[in-house]
Amino acid sequence: MHLPCIEMTPIRCATLSSRTTSKCNTLQNSSFRGGKARRELVIQMAATKEKKNADLVRLTDLLNAQETMVVAAVNYKGLSVKNMIKFRRELPDGATLMIAKNTLMRKASENTKFSTISECSKGMNAWLFVDENVAPTFKKFRSLAKDWKKEGVEIDFTGAVLDEKFLSPSELKPLESLPTKMDLIQKIAVGLKQVPTKVARGTKQIPSRIG
């Protein structure tokens, strides 16, 4: 069986050729855009993975640092970038604020004395690592939180860990008066200075009592 022969005029041939070329160009452009999108996705995923690894290392270092006494979680939902920067800048020396995923904190805190901080790993948390300057840090946070509340944003602790013990938000008030190592040293020094004075006073009083 022979198929009928279709006579193609030069104009029709040119039209078909133009359409074919257009389709080819469209496919090539689509392929190019698809390839570019895939490359961008791969780069983005690699950057995200690198960021996660860096955050995990940083969290692990802070959790295992000898000077870290308290780790606290702050729910920062609603806090602006500007206020978050202010929060970081106004923290006392020895306090570090870090934003990291809850899953990373759970992983980093495993088998450490702060492992129970995982009880706070819900919602939008910023993690606060504090050395002996616990009272100044918590007082500063309370002061800032009052200012933010006036702006209609309520920020609070979701919990903290001290001496391997988990503290709920209602149990954190005493930390605002926790003495630093320097405070304790000064109290001991003052106590030692008072001992000779008391002994001298007692010695002077002995003869008069005997007499």
Side-chain angles (χ1 to χ4, degrees):
M1 180 178 179
H2 296 284
L3 293 174
C5 180
I6 300 175
E7 185 177 353
M8 303 287 288
T9 63
I11 296 176
R12 182 171 178 77
C13 288
T15 302
L16 288 175
S17 178
S18 176
R19 289 177 181 176
T20 304
T21 303
S22 177
K23 287 182 180 180
C24 288
N25 289 337
T26 301
L27 290 172
Q28 288 176 352
N29 291 336
S30 176
S31 177
F32 175 77
R33 287 195 297 270
K36 183 179 180 181
R38 284 193 294 272
R39 286 195 297 273
E40 290 177 349
L41 180 60
V42 170
I43 293 172
Q44 186 178 2
M45 290 175 64
T48 302
K49 186 176 181 180
E50 185 178 348
K51 175 70 165 54
K52 286 182 179 179
N53 290 337
D55 285 349
L56 183 60
V57 171
R58 179 61 173 157
L59 286 171
T60 303
D61 289 343
L62 289 168
L63 287 162
N64 290 291
Q66 187 175 359
E67 61 269 19
T68 300
M69 286 185 59
V70 175
V71 175
V74 179
N75 188 322
Y76 68 96
K77 184 177 181 180
L79 195 65
S80 65
V81 174
K82 180 181 178 181
N83 283 332
M84 179 60 76
I85 293 173
K86 181 179 180 180
F87 187 9
R88 277 198 173 106
R89 288 178 176 174
E90 295 194 12
L91 284 172
D93 291 338
T96 302
L97 185 69
M98 180 176 176
I99 297 176
K101 289 183 176 295
N102 294 324
T103 52
L104 292 178
M105 174 54 96
R106 286 198 295 268
K107 185 174 182 179
S109 63
E110 287 179 357
N111 302 318
T112 71
K113 59 184 179 181
F114 300 109
S115 59
T116 50
I117 196 66
S118 60
E119 295 186 34
C120 300
S121 57
K122 293 179 181 179
M124 296 176 63
N125 285 308
W127 308 100
L128 188 59
F129 302 84
V130 192
D131 64 1
E132 61 177 307
N133 295 309
V134 177
T137 300
F138 276 68
K139 285 179 180 178
K140 172 54 67 175
F141 172 79
R142 292 300 181 192
S143 175
L144 290 171
K146 285 181 181 179
D147 293 338
W148 296 329
K149 190 173 183 179
K150 294 176 184 177
E151 299 175 6
V153 180
E154 293 193 25
I155 304 297
D156 200 1
F157 290 108
T158 55
V161 177
L162 171 66
D163 291 334
E164 300 185 33
K165 180 184 177 182
F166 178 78
L167 303 173
S168 65
S170 61
E171 297 175 302
L172 298 181
K173 184 65 177 177
L175 296 185
E176 295 179 27
S177 56
L178 193 69
T180 65
K181 183 178 179 181
M182 186 56 65
D183 291 335
L184 294 174
I185 292 174
Q186 289 176 350
K187 287 181 179 180
I188 293 172
V190 171
L192 291 174
K193 287 181 180 179
Q194 291 176 348
V195 170
T197 304
K198 291 179 180 179
V199 171
R201 288 176 181 173
T203 305
K204 290 179 180 179
Q205 292 174 357
I206 291 175
S208 61
R209 288 178 180 175
I210 294 176

